[in-house]
Amino acid sequence: MAQRRKRLGEILVSWNLLSPNALADALAYATEHKKRIGEALIELELVKEDDVTKALATQFDLEYVDLDKNVGVTAALERVPPKLIGTYKFLPLSVENDRMKVIVSDPLDLELLDLLRFRLGMEIECALAPLSKIERYINTFLTDVRSSVDDAIEEIDRDALAKREAEGKKAAVDVDADAPVIKLVNLIIDEAVRGRASDIHVEPMADRVRVRYRIDGVCIVRDNIPKSMQAAVTARLKIISGIDISEKRLPQDGRIKKKIGTQLIDFRVSSLPAYHGESIVLRILRPDSVRVGITGLGFEQDSYEKFQNIINAPNGIFLVTGPTGSGKTTTLYAALQELNRPDRKIITAEDPVEYNFTGMNQCQVKEEIGLTFGRILRAMLRQAPNIILVGEIRDREVGEVAVQAALTGHLVFSTLHTNDAPSAIARLIDMGIKPFLVASSIQAIMAQRLIRVICKECKEIDPAPDRFVLKVLDIKDEDLEGRHLYRGRGCPRCGNVGYRGRQGIFELLEMNNELRDLAFNRAPTTQLRKAARAAGMRNLLEDGKLKIMRGVTTPVEIARIAQAEGVVRDEE
């Protein structure tokens, strides 16, 4: 009888890297989020990626390759096109008798192995290494996309582009599929996606075209394209996004669908006429970015428990507030995914629908044909939903329908643009919604911001934190007794910035009788804030300080976000 192969979790428990209880939690998380157990363990930070890969190697009796120990560029690389390596994230290790040994991260990716057998015309043998280290190796030792973008800019014949610019629309449409400008645009998009950018900004200046990527909320200048390429690059971006290239006087919107690696990525494109030409922004819409789950949002334990109670309420309005780009949509989608079950009907009204989810009825606002938020909301109520998501409460009409929906037994989620949670009550009343309706319908309001997280690969103790920043954040010496503050040293994994990824900081206000009375009597925001603080609300700055103390982020990052975004300090 064949011996049973040990499970991954069993191996890690036997190595004393994981407790049975932690394994049970990870299995439940993996089942809920439809992930493999290895992915769940890494996401929950129960086990390091290296250890999971070593356990996989043991499980499948494969070699584990430590890419940190100077694995040089091998002759086998000459047998494989660089584009294939960059697309499918593997490394050729050796070739012997028409048999190639490759380093992969997933021994169960049979589709990749079959593709390599077909493309390379030889048998494939596997060794394992963590995906992050394979990617880092590719970026360090191989001709990566970054250098390709530079090469593409240098390749372009300036005289030909100038001629094409003069010819206008016809030349832009007639560009050959292998033309350098097409290659350049494709490489810029590919590099931005692989670099975890959320936006690509193509901005005409007086003497150049500036390309910037927004990564973890911060814009980084990627390159300056010669001014002579402006018309061709702009035309190419407008063509692939379905925008009218002959219209240069008005703002336009479009969309792109592009396969990058194994993922089909959506891009929302906006063109805006500016002084030196049309500025184009591509918003990168990754399905995975809004499927982080509630546990991945960054809640402290007490806030997590309150959040769960709020979203499981039978009715009422739950508002998420904050500026553009503060993660409001991600938070609401995480809540809806938690509630998305066959016994519940969920309807959303969005402008636009950026991400599609199975099991939800998502409606796209179309102002040009009269399909407004208000009209969709009124129609929704005739569809007998349990849960309603309104993309944003923009005016009195939408606010009143949302309130009526909440008062008639529906759970309503929506967003509002205010700096903090207590201000949302005053904002709704200022819209013209009656105070008694606001007081009786709102269950909770949550303000949030996104902060950058210290890179796990280069995280280290900060030997000399900035005393001025600590003073600004009101972190005293006694608060630091027996604790260390951390920073990111900077490494290839994080692009030498010391941060990789983001989490939220939150200000969660739960309505109580006192707050309802104050709202009913049109109390000022300062009074509402004092009452909320007395009831246990933690403001954004305090939530950020907890993440500093836990080593999640740095004091500089909290000072940058919490102070700049107008966190209101409690009055004496």
Side-chain angles (χ1 to χ4, degrees):
M1 183 178 175
Q3 187 176 359
R4 183 180 73 86
R5 178 183 289 159
K6 263 192 166 185
R7 291 191 172 94
L8 182 68
E10 292 174 355
I11 295 170
L12 292 167
V13 169
S14 70
W15 290 354
N16 294 321
L17 294 173
L18 188 67
S19 70
N21 289 339
L23 175 59
D25 291 342
L27 286 167
Y29 178 87
T31 303
E32 180 184 353
H33 294 87
K34 297 179 181 176
K35 293 181 180 291
R36 292 183 183 174
I37 182 62
E39 294 173 322
L41 289 167
I42 294 167
E43 284 187 20
L44 295 172
E45 298 182 16
L46 295 172
V47 183
K48 292 181 179 177
E49 187 185 15
D50 277 9
D51 293 324
V52 169
T53 309
K54 287 174 185 175
L56 280 171
T58 300
Q59 183 184 23
F60 289 94
D61 195 23
L62 297 172
E63 178 187 354
Y64 173 83
V65 179
D66 189 349
L67 290 174
D68 290 332
K69 292 187 176 176
N70 299 319
V71 177
V73 178
T74 66
L77 287 171
E78 298 174 3
R79 307 282 294 269
V80 183
K83 187 176 180 182
L84 197 65
I85 294 173
T87 301
Y88 294 101
K89 300 292 186 293
F90 71 97
L91 288 171
L93 190 61
S94 62
V95 178
E96 189 175 342
N97 298 330
D98 287 330
R99 188 178 188 87
M100 179 178 285
K101 187 176 223 179
V102 298
I103 304 171
V104 296
S105 61
D106 183 1
L108 293 175
D109 192 349
L110 303 180
E111 191 175 335
L112 170 62
L113 301 180
D114 286 343
L115 181 140
L116 293 179
R117 286 189 189 97
F118 175 75
R119 293 286 296 272
L120 302 176
M122 58 182 75
E123 278 303 306
I124 300 297
E125 183 182 339
C126 285
L128 295 187
L131 178 60
S132 62
K133 292 189 176 180
I134 293 174
E135 289 177 338
R136 191 190 314 159
Y137 188 95
I138 291 170
N139 291 334
T140 303
F141 291 105
L142 305 182
T143 304
D144 62 359
V145 180
R146 178 169 289 274
S147 61
S148 299
V149 171
D150 298 330
D151 293 343
I153 292 173
E154 291 174 10
E155 267 179 35
I156 295 181
D157 181 350
R158 308 286 170 83
D159 294 333
L161 276 174
K163 182 180 176 182
R164 194 177 292 130
E165 184 176 357
E167 290 175 357
K169 176 181 175 180
K170 184 177 183 300
V173 175
D174 289 344
V175 173
D176 182 43
D178 295 323
V181 70
I182 293 180
K183 180 180 177 184
L184 172 62
V185 168
N186 288 337
L187 287 170
I188 287 173
I189 292 173
D190 288 1
E191 180 188 65
V193 171
R194 292 195 169 94
R196 301 182 304 106
S198 59
D199 305 273
I200 304 169
H201 299 258
V202 181
E203 304 162 317
M205 315 292 277
D207 56 348
R208 67 192 190 281
V209 179
R210 183 173 67 179
V211 177
R212 295 193 292 172
Y213 301 153
R214 188 183 295 278
I215 300 174
D216 291 336
V218 177
C219 280
I220 297 169
V221 177
R222 166 59 184 96
D223 224 318
N224 291 308
I225 298 174
K227 187 72 174 175
S228 60
M229 295 168 58
Q230 178 178 324
V233 169
T234 300
R236 179 61 189 164
L237 286 169
K238 291 172 77 173
I239 288 167
I240 61 177
S241 56
I243 293 176
D244 182 0
I245 64 172
S246 64
E247 178 56 78
K248 300 179 181 179
R249 302 164 300 166
L250 298 173
Q252 297 185 80
D253 295 313
R255 291 189 86 123
I256 300 170
K257 268 189 186 293
K258 191 172 190 296
K259 189 166 186 179
I260 297 177
T262 56
Q263 268 194 317
L264 189 63
I265 306 289
D266 264 334
F267 300 82
R268 196 174 75 203
V269 184
S270 169
S271 73
L272 178 70
Y275 187 76
H276 294 295
E278 290 176 279
S279 171
I280 297 182
V281 176
L282 287 77
R283 178 82 186 273
I284 302 171
L285 306 175
R286 291 183 177 84
D288 292 346
S289 67
V290 289
R291 292 190 169 92
V292 296
I294 293 175
T295 53
L297 296 175
F299 284 113
E300 300 299 320
Q301 185 58 36
D302 58 341
S303 296
Y304 174 78
E305 290 168 2
K306 288 178 183 177
F307 185 83
Q308 285 283 3
N309 290 335
I310 291 162
I311 67 172
N312 284 287
N315 60 279
I317 296 177
F318 175 44
L319 287 176
V320 181
T321 78
T324 301
S326 59
K328 301 186 297 295
T329 301
T330 300
T331 297
L332 289 179
Y333 276 145
L336 289 183
Q337 288 174 80
E338 183 94 354
L339 301 171
N340 188 11
R341 299 204 302 261
D343 61 333
R344 290 172 173 159
K345 177 155 185 169
I346 300 173
I347 307 182
T348 75
E350 303 171 64
D351 184 20
V353 174
E354 294 184 347
Y355 302 97
N356 182 252
F357 292 91
T358 304
M360 298 184 201
N361 300 274
Q362 295 174 268
C363 303
Q364 167 83 51
V365 171
K366 294 180 181 176
E367 300 276 357
E368 64 274 13
I369 61 170
L371 190 59
T372 62
F373 272 121
R375 191 166 182 179
I376 292 173
L377 264 174
R378 282 190 289 272
M380 274 183 186
L381 299 179
R382 296 193 289 272
Q383 295 273 314
N386 302 102
I387 298 162
I388 293 170
L389 168 69
V390 186
E392 183 186 345
I393 295 180
R394 296 178 178 177
D395 52 38
R396 176 180 172 179
E397 180 193 14
V398 176
E400 285 182 342
V401 179
V403 165
Q404 291 301 326
L407 294 176
T408 52
H410 303 88
L411 182 59
V412 180
F413 295 109
S414 191
T415 68
L416 203 62
H417 284 98
T418 61
N419 277 335
D420 63 348
S423 300
I425 295 172
R427 175 85 178 93
L428 291 172
I429 293 172
D430 288 344
M431 279 183 187
I433 302 171
K434 293 181 173 60
F436 77 90
L437 292 176
V438 173
S440 56
S441 62
I442 290 179
Q443 292 296 330
I445 304 165
M446 187 170 77
Q448 70 176 67
R449 304 288 187 276
L450 290 177
I451 54 154
R452 291 181 295 173
V453 173
I454 298 172
C455 174
K456 293 183 179 66
E457 296 288 325
C458 60
K459 184 176 179 178
E460 64 180 15
I461 293 172
D462 189 347
D466 190 317
R467 307 304 299 181
F468 175 75
V469 172
L470 295 181
K471 185 178 180 181
V472 167
L473 297 178
D474 196 27
I475 297 176
K476 302 179 177 66
D477 289 340
E478 51 265 33
D479 297 331
L480 298 176
E481 286 183 10
R483 295 177 181 271
H484 291 296
L485 299 184
Y486 292 86
R487 67 180 183 184
R489 184 179 61 255
C491 66
R493 174 77 168 155
C494 62
N496 294 311
V497 297
Y499 299 97
R500 184 178 170 86
R502 289 193 289 176
Q503 278 190 10
I505 54 174
F506 305 95
E507 178 178 280
L508 185 53
L509 180 156
E510 289 185 283
M511 293 294 280
N512 57 26
N513 290 335
E514 183 184 0
L515 285 165
R516 293 187 198 282
D517 288 341
L518 289 171
F520 179 77
N521 292 308
R522 294 175 179 263
T525 301
T526 52
Q527 201 172 341
L528 288 165
R529 187 179 301 111
K530 282 182 180 177
R533 299 280 288 120
M537 182 187 79
R538 186 166 56 233
N539 66 29
L540 291 168
L541 193 58
E542 290 169 333
D543 200 52
K545 285 163 67 174
L546 289 177
K547 288 176 171 58
I548 293 170
M549 297 303 181
R550 289 201 291 110
V552 173
T553 191
T554 64
V556 171
E557 180 67 6
I558 294 299
R560 180 180 75 88
I561 295 296
Q563 297 295 314
E565 293 289 359
V567 171
V568 182
R569 303 298 296 268
D570 294 324
E571 297 178 3
E572 298 296 332

